[in-house]
Amino acid sequence: CKGIESPFRKRTIKEEAGGTEEYRVITCINEYRPVLYAQKLLSAPADVDTSKDEFTFQLLVGENEEPLANAEFWYVDSARIDGGIPTRNGVSHTDKDGKFTIKKGEIIALFPGVTGTNYTLKEVAGAAETDRWFTNNDTVSGTLPYKGAIAKITNYYRLKDLYLTKYITFQNTVDCSQEFTFKVTDQDGNPVTGGNEWALVDQSGQESTAEGEYGVLDQSSNGTFTAALAGKRVKIKDLRAGEDYTIEEIAYGDLY
């Protein structure tokens, strides 16, 4: 009983009792099943290695959100809800709590139940709990349609750098020794005081180690930094990606 492998068909092969060496009766049943594809997306700088990061999902089904325990799922090469059939690259199972792990680039075909089944797919553990990653939405819920559904959860690399350039207009920047003071606040209006380092950088991105050209945003500075940076660029390090920040110039001398 052979045919094209399809995640949309659950195949059951039964051999009837009473057969002989010469005659056997085998029944092949193909039962349609809609597919829920799970895909992990990551947003990170190009130089960040994400190949070893694993994320743990949990699949809950039905009105009571019961874990889909010890259930088969497929690794496939694409998510198809257009009638096409993806290629199976492997098979595994959820654990007793309906959990499984997934990496960037992997696409998993899950089988929550018949058309109309309620499902909730949630990211619950793994790399998302570390300082490397965060997500703005860790849960996808819905009702399984006939052609299947795709659930994508994106994680963002948590720590990113912010660059600020100071321009002046009425003199050469090399002649300007004026110090300028800036205050950095988060999206809730609170000063950034978590110990984020800042430093002036050159065109190649090299950070300065000269006195007065680097420092830390901490409680003592109340989220401010001061430097003579006319015509220069400053890098503020390790801010949380995906959040809004405000940089306000609060002191700039009488001539500016």
Side-chain angles (χ1 to χ4, degrees):
C1 183
K2 296 183 178 181
I4 298 175
E5 283 188 328
S6 171
F8 292 96
R9 289 196 297 268
K10 180 181 179 180
R11 181 176 298 164
T12 304
I13 300 174
K14 296 182 179 180
E15 183 173 346
E16 302 294 334
T20 67
E21 293 184 0
E22 296 181 350
Y23 299 99
R24 292 187 299 165
V25 178
I26 297 176
T27 303
C28 183
I29 301 173
N30 286 300
E31 180 182 359
Y32 181 81
R33 58 183 180 185
V35 175
L36 172 65
Y37 295 101
Q39 190 171 3
K40 166 55 61 185
L41 304 178
L42 297 180
S43 176
D47 59 348
V48 175
D49 181 11
T50 63
S51 61
K52 296 181 180 179
D53 287 298
E54 290 188 338
F55 302 81
T56 301
F57 286 2
Q58 183 180 36
L59 180 59
L60 308 172
V61 297
E63 294 183 357
N64 296 325
E65 294 193 338
E66 297 291 334
L68 190 66
N70 305 312
E72 179 183 277
F73 64 81
W74 292 14
Y75 293 95
V76 294
D77 68 341
S78 58
R80 302 291 300 272
I81 56 174
D82 58 357
I85 299 174
T87 299
R88 183 175 74 175
N89 295 326
V91 177
S92 189
H93 293 79
T94 61
D95 68 10
K96 61 182 179 61
D97 297 315
K99 297 178 181 179
F100 61 95
T101 60
I102 188 170
K103 293 182 178 181
K104 176 186 177 181
E106 290 181 337
I107 302 174
I108 290 177
L110 299 153
F111 314 111
V114 299
T115 301
T117 297
N118 295 328
Y119 67 86
T120 296
L121 185 66
K122 185 175 183 179
E123 184 174 319
V124 295
E129 291 185 330
T130 72
D131 291 337
R132 283 170 60 87
W133 302 101
F134 77 98
T135 179
N136 291 325
N137 183 16
D138 62 3
T139 303
V140 178
S141 299
T143 301
L144 197 63
Y146 177 76
K147 288 187 176 182
I150 302 173
K152 298 180 180 180
I153 295 180
T154 301
N155 289 77
Y156 301 90
Y157 192 69
R158 186 179 295 278
L159 305 178
K160 292 192 175 182
D161 301 329
L162 186 151
Y163 291 87
L164 170 71
T165 302
K166 160 55 65 180
Y167 295 99
I168 60 173
T169 60
F170 77 93
Q171 66 179 140
N172 292 328
T173 55
V174 294
D175 297 326
C176 178
S177 59
Q178 172 69 46
E179 290 187 333
F180 301 87
T181 299
F182 295 85
K183 186 171 186 176
V184 186
T185 54
D186 62 21
Q187 59 188 12
D188 297 319
N190 300 314
V192 175
T193 57
N196 301 76
E197 297 179 355
W198 64 269
L200 299 189
V201 295
D202 60 21
Q203 292 183 349
S204 66
Q206 183 68 37
E207 298 176 17
S208 175
T209 58
E211 183 178 355
E213 295 188 351
Y214 68 95
V216 176
L217 301 179
D218 56 16
Q219 293 288 348
S220 62
S221 70
N222 197 31
T224 69
F225 67 92
T226 300
L229 70 166
K232 299 178 182 178
R233 187 167 64 159
V234 61
K235 176 168 70 172
I236 306 167
K237 301 166 66 174
D238 295 340
L239 295 173
R240 289 170 62 96
E243 295 190 4
D244 295 326
Y245 289 89
T246 299
I247 301 180
E248 179 185 5
E249 188 173 42
I250 60 175
Y252 36 82
D254 294 335
L255 298 178
Y256 298 89

